[in-house]
Amino acid sequence: MTPPRRSTQTPRFNLARVLSRFLLFSTLVLLVSVALKTRSRLALLFSSFSHPATMSYQQERYIAELAVQRATLLTQKVFFEKAKGTVSKDDKSPVTIGDFGAQALIIQAIRKNFPNDEIVAEEEASSLREDKALGAEIWRLVKDIKLEDAESDNLLGGPLSSEQSMLDIIDEGKSAGGAKGRIWALDPIDGTKGFLRGGQYAVCLGLIVDGDVKVGAIGTPNLPVDDSAAIDASTGAQQTADAANGVLFSAVQDEGATSRPLSNGALAASKPISMRPVPNIAQAVFCEGVEAAHSAQGDNAAVAERLGITAPSVRLDSQAKYCSIARGAGDIYLRLPVKKDYQEKIWDHAAGDIIVREAGGQVTDIYGSRLDFSKGRTLAANTGVVAAPKAVQDQVIDAVKVVLKL
Ligand SMILES: Nc1ncnc2c1ncn2[C@@H]1O[C@H](COP(=O)(O)O)[C@@H](O)[C@H]1OP(=O)(O)O
Ligand SMILES: [Mg+2]
Ligand SMILES: [Mg+2]
Ligand SMILES: [Mg+2]
């Protein structure tokens, strides 16, 4: 009798089975890890299906927040260095290696994610092409900056390839702006004078679509995480040295404003922010710039007095003023003009404008007109800025008109 044929087939068959099970198992592990890693993006995607009407500009907000957060890693490095590579621009205002480096990193992120959008940015690279040492110094800084979360960093485009590509990307912020299309307004360091003085500064990015600000993100590395922590009224510095600093603010039109602590990696959890109600305007606190050349502090004080406000103003450099009132650390931001012919730049206001409006405020010029971001690189149709909770904005404008004899 012939015995059943099995012996030679069995080991090969088992090996195949073990291999296929191993393959199945590894594929499952891979799928689970990919799903976990991208959970935030998946959540975003699913919410878009369930709330299509509220989904607009979520990706723009996410990229803007991440790009601003990454750029603050660079600015903080420079902030704590003694030599900040400061040069004076044609208009005599200062610019540092921090401003140039942050601009390169943020434009890279915009280019990677929204290649067809236009960009209006404050800085340009011509001085760096002449001053080779300065260019090299910025490149040394930029090439090593990355978010500690690899997925977030990859989303922004990974490292730039060379010093030349860095200079070229800095120069991609030269759009003339205008009333049509998608235009990002970028101030890589707003409040450079505060940055140099050790005070407040902000990394600011806004998206303007057909002349209207839709998205804003502002990183303020020196503002306290605690919304109600006291700020030194004359210097803008935080009073308790041990409290945590560094806040990332953002807003999307019709979706509210949020804040979260700045982090070195992925975005931290956010919370909604809003302006505080002002039942009695005499109790309001107003914010203004530190630099007397940028806003008329005497006129600001006269407006405050007319409103019965006796508390001293809180002086902060940069769009940190918009952020502060948006989270109820102050109520009114006055930027009354020193010179009637100064045209405010869109990158100095776009992100702050939407963050305050989405937190329940109104932002206008001294005549009570909304800021008009459709006129090019400047707010050519506006003079000065007045921001306050909606309910008291008219009262503030009335006082401004009396003081400025408008
Ligand atoms: N004469 C001026 N009036 C108003 N703002 C000015 C004036 N000169 C410069 N700025 C801008 O004010 C911003 C800082 O505002 P703040 O004093 O509130 O922190 C800077 O972006 C600065 O622009 P620049 O970047 O060209 O120096
Ligand atoms: Mg600025
Ligand atoms: Mg600037
Ligand atoms: Mg500047």
Side-chain angles (χ1 to χ4, degrees), residues 91 93 122 187 190-191 289 291 293-294 316-318 321 333 335 339 342 344 348:
D91 64 0
S93 68
E122 182 182 359
D187 194 339
D190 181 39
E291 294 294 326
H294 296 174
L316 305 164
D317 295 284
S318 81
K321 292 184 277 298
Y333 168 22
R335 189 180 188 82
K339 291 189 228 129
Y342 180 78
E344 298 284 347
D348 281 330

Side-chain angles (χ1 to χ4, degrees), residues 10-39:
T10 312
R12 225 176 41 207
F13 174 72
N14 277 348
L15 186 66
R17 216 162 54 171
V18 167
L19 268 176
S20 74
R21 281 189 178 169
F22 176 74
L23 269 175
L24 189 69
F25 180 71
S26 344
T27 313
L28 272 174
V29 167
L30 195 74
L31 279 175
V32 168
S33 79
V34 166
L36 281 176
K37 267 190 163 177
T38 56
R39 67 191 184 283

